[in-house]
Amino acid sequence: MSARQALHRGPNRSEGIAKTVPNSRSQRKGDARDNSLFVNSIEKAVMVLNAFSRERPLLTLATIAKLTGLDKSAAQRFLYTLHQLGLLRKYEDTKQYSLSPRLLEFAYAYTYSDGLIERAQPFLVEAHEKAGETVNLSVLEGTDVLLVSRIPGQHVVTTNIQVGFRMPALYSAAGRAIVARLPAKERDHIIRATKYLKYTNEAVTNPNEMRKLIEKAAKEGYVLSQSQFFQGDISVGAAIIDGSNAVLGALCLSATQSQMTVPEAREKLVPATITAARKISLAMGAY
């Protein structure tokens, strides 16, 4: 396959991007890098894989070195090894690299070995059939939420959302529902660490206002949000807990504002979301 074939969906806009890949060291708890068990070379290999994204599907050696901060020789060795292991594809005509489909094997293994996804699936299907809308299952990852399961409805704001999609937790109904159930210290950390951006005209950009919304969610047991990350989206999220009352993730039902008003969402989506989240929580050991 040529690089041109790999990019049949559109041109490569990744080359020349100055933005660097976040160093995972800054995201690790405490000072794990000082632990003798920590393998720095694995961290660097992951940095190379993280250099690729939807916006950067094809990258050259020079660009990867620039994005990761690795010198060219080190970047070349990591690229060669990852290519030989089948985790990267190399296009000889352009000297570019891309992620390999083999990475999906890891996603498949996670999907079918994670207890939450397995036990939640029948209730996601049930909620989708009853409400007729998009159902998402998300988990917290740092200050973001990751989509781990999804059943799309007939009406969606965007079709470019797939399992593995990441977005700021506080700008999603599921994320806010999760954060609202966290211990106060963890909740405060996420509120402080979040970058408040104007993703849409209605997006909340004031930390104090966001804190009030999280407190409201903690009291009500659900979140109803509109156009926070995607314009025209209306979503309801509720947290999923286990027997120790620890939050595992959240279920979210979504519709478009063009087909549903807030009162209609409150009447139709809120009960369905709370019921489904409760059923999953019971399946995970809650009582």
Side-chain angles (χ1 to χ4, degrees):
M1 181 187 294
S2 69
R4 182 181 297 275
Q5 290 172 320
L7 276 181
H8 66 278
R9 290 172 296 180
N12 178 21
R13 296 173 295 173
S14 59
E15 298 301 327
I17 295 177
K19 183 179 178 182
T20 58
V21 176
N23 191 323
S24 59
R25 291 182 180 182
S26 62
Q27 301 172 4
R28 293 201 298 271
K29 294 181 179 179
D31 43 20
R33 63 180 175 275
D34 297 326
N35 194 304
S36 61
L37 296 175
F38 192 84
V39 183
N40 289 292
S41 58
I42 294 180
E43 179 189 31
K44 292 175 182 176
V46 172
M47 286 172 60
V48 171
L49 293 174
N50 282 337
F52 296 90
S53 67
R54 178 179 173 181
E55 293 76 23
R56 301 187 297 256
L58 293 176
L59 296 172
T60 62
L61 167 61
T63 304
I64 289 172
K66 183 176 182 179
L67 289 168
T68 60
L70 297 171
D71 63 62
K72 220 169 184 179
S73 177
Q76 186 175 38
R77 292 196 299 273
F78 283 112
L79 285 170
Y80 175 82
T81 303
L82 291 169
H83 176 237
Q84 291 302 312
L85 292 174
L87 301 179
L88 291 180
R89 282 179 167 175
K90 183 178 180 181
Y91 304 98
E92 296 295 344
D93 56 337
T94 61
K95 305 301 180 183
Q96 291 175 310
Y97 295 84
S98 72
L99 297 177
S100 162
R102 189 183 175 190
L103 288 166
L104 290 173
E105 293 178 16
F106 295 99
Y108 178 85
Y110 167 75
T111 300
Y112 286 92
S113 63
D114 182 78
L116 174 60
I117 298 174
E118 179 185 9
R119 296 177 190 178
Q121 202 60 35
F123 303 111
L124 300 183
V125 173
E126 181 181 59
H128 171 70
E129 291 177 345
K130 287 184 176 180
E133 305 297 345
T134 298
V135 183
N136 294 320
L137 179 67
S138 301
V139 297
L140 189 67
E141 179 73 17
T143 59
D144 296 335
V145 284
L146 278 174
L147 183 62
V148 295
S149 188
R150 174 177 172 86
I151 304 176
Q154 292 185 344
H155 306 282
V156 293
V157 175
T158 174
T159 58
N160 294 325
I161 304 298
Q162 303 291 339
V163 169
F165 181 78
R166 176 188 291 265
M167 64 184 294
L170 299 188
Y171 285 91
S172 73
R176 287 185 193 174
I178 293 172
V179 174
R181 289 298 300 254
L182 292 176
K185 187 176 180 180
E186 294 179 42
R187 183 194 303 180
D188 290 342
H189 167 73
I190 292 176
I191 292 173
R192 290 195 307 269
T194 293
K195 294 181 179 179
Y196 295 88
L197 303 175
K198 198 73 173 175
Y199 295 107
T200 67
N201 294 332
E202 291 85 2
V204 176
T205 57
N206 185 301
N208 292 327
E209 183 181 351
M210 185 67 77
R211 187 180 297 276
K212 291 178 181 179
L213 290 171
I214 297 299
E215 292 171 353
K216 181 174 182 287
K219 292 177 182 178
E220 296 182 342
Y222 71 91
V223 173
L224 195 162
S225 67
Q226 304 175 70
S227 297
Q228 291 298 293
F229 194 75
F230 296 108
Q231 191 67 46
D233 168 77
I234 183 166
S235 299
V236 177
I240 297 165
I241 60 173
D242 64 12
S244 66
N245 211 35
V247 62
L248 305 176
L251 176 141
C252 175
L253 276 168
S254 298
T256 62
Q257 290 179 319
S258 62
Q259 67 167 123
M260 187 175 293
T261 64
V262 170
E264 289 172 339
R266 199 176 300 279
E267 179 182 352
K268 180 181 179 181
L269 299 187
V270 169
T273 301
I274 292 175
T275 298
R278 178 59 180 165
K279 287 182 177 180
I280 299 171
S281 295
L282 291 172
M284 296 304 294
Y287 50 85

